[in-house]
Amino acid sequence: MFVHLETERLILRRFTAEDTDLLVELDSDPEVMRYLTGGRATPREAVQDRILPLFFSYYRRFPALGYWAALRRDTGEFLGWFEFRPPDVERPGEVELGYRLRRPAWGHGYATEGARALIRKGFTEPGVERVFACTMTVNRGSRGVMEKSGLRYVRTFFADWPESIEGSEHGEVEYALERAEWHGLQQGAR
């Protein structure tokens, strides 16, 4: 098991092919998928043929960036995943932060804890210059995690999605944090 990082309560590790069932279960919860697909589950074939190969491709190209399975440190229970990866491989210094957690993990601070740890790791090691995250404007839970993680509101925008889901008429929001800004905040906290 390749452990990317550990926090007080979390282990973030690389995914393996054996994680297929965990991802299928996660993406089968309509509430987990509410702001992503309108609640539709991700088919098993998509997890096997598209999602896991995508995750693995990041490990080959960017050893310190990618998608990370999140486990409870004390029990090893699968909580979900985090992404911390460049969506544009031509701009590896601009990294997207994302997270998808099982419903029983909601409201316990795991998303904020994992996000803060990834941001800290990204900004204390060479390469990451900017971290950003996006969600639907109406996704208050995810916006709260972004704010508690130190990201700041940048803009509201309207993407042209193939299918509209409830709330998409309010647009998407972007939050971000620059390396220099993060270092300044760390200095101020001392």
Side-chain angles (χ1 to χ4, degrees):
M1 173 171 74
F2 178 92
V3 174
H4 180 61
L5 67 82
E6 293 185 39
T7 69
E8 182 181 331
R9 301 181 301 156
L10 297 173
I11 294 172
L12 301 185
R13 66 156 172 86
R14 284 185 176 178
F15 276 97
T16 69
E18 289 75 40
D19 294 320
T20 301
D21 290 339
L22 296 172
L23 289 170
V24 170
E25 178 197 350
L26 175 67
D27 284 12
S28 294
D29 184 327
E31 284 301 305
V32 169
M33 302 303 287
R34 178 178 176 194
Y35 297 113
L36 302 165
T37 65
R40 287 185 316 282
T42 304
R44 178 181 204 76
E45 299 74 34
V47 170
Q48 290 175 308
D49 301 339
R50 194 180 80 241
I51 294 171
L52 277 172
L54 171 71
F55 290 4
F56 301 153
S57 74
Y58 274 94
Y59 304 146
R60 288 189 298 274
R61 290 183 288 172
F62 305 101
L65 303 172
Y67 293 84
W68 312 103
L71 311 176
R72 274 185 54 159
R73 191 171 174 174
D74 59 349
T75 66
E77 175 190 2
F78 176 74
L79 298 175
W81 57 258
F82 288 85
E83 78 174 290
F84 197 74
R85 52 101 189 173
D88 181 349
V89 295
E90 300 299 319
R91 295 189 346 237
E94 187 164 337
V95 173
E96 182 171 14
L97 169 69
Y99 31 83
R100 187 175 305 171
L101 300 180
R102 295 175 61 232
R103 225 182 320 167
W106 294 1
H108 298 282
Y110 294 122
T112 301
E113 184 175 329
R116 285 178 177 165
L118 286 165
I119 291 167
R120 182 180 324 103
K121 184 173 179 65
F123 285 150
T124 56
E125 296 177 0
V128 176
E129 295 301 322
R130 180 176 190 265
V131 175
F132 74 96
C134 298
T135 190
M136 288 178 62
T137 299
V138 296
N139 188 346
R140 295 193 194 289
S142 191
R143 291 181 73 169
V145 170
M146 293 172 191
E147 291 166 1
K148 288 184 228 167
S149 300
L151 278 65
R152 296 206 165 82
Y153 171 82
V154 173
R155 67 185 175 123
T156 299
F157 63 98
F158 293 85
D160 187 21
W161 299 108
E163 292 183 39
S164 175
I165 61 175
E166 186 178 337
S168 62
E169 67 275 11
H170 300 287
E172 303 259 331
V173 290
E174 177 183 354
Y175 284 72
L177 185 62
E178 306 281 338
R179 174 190 285 270
E181 184 181 14
W182 182 84
H183 280 287
L185 292 170
Q186 300 310 299
Q187 294 294 325
R190 290 182 191 180

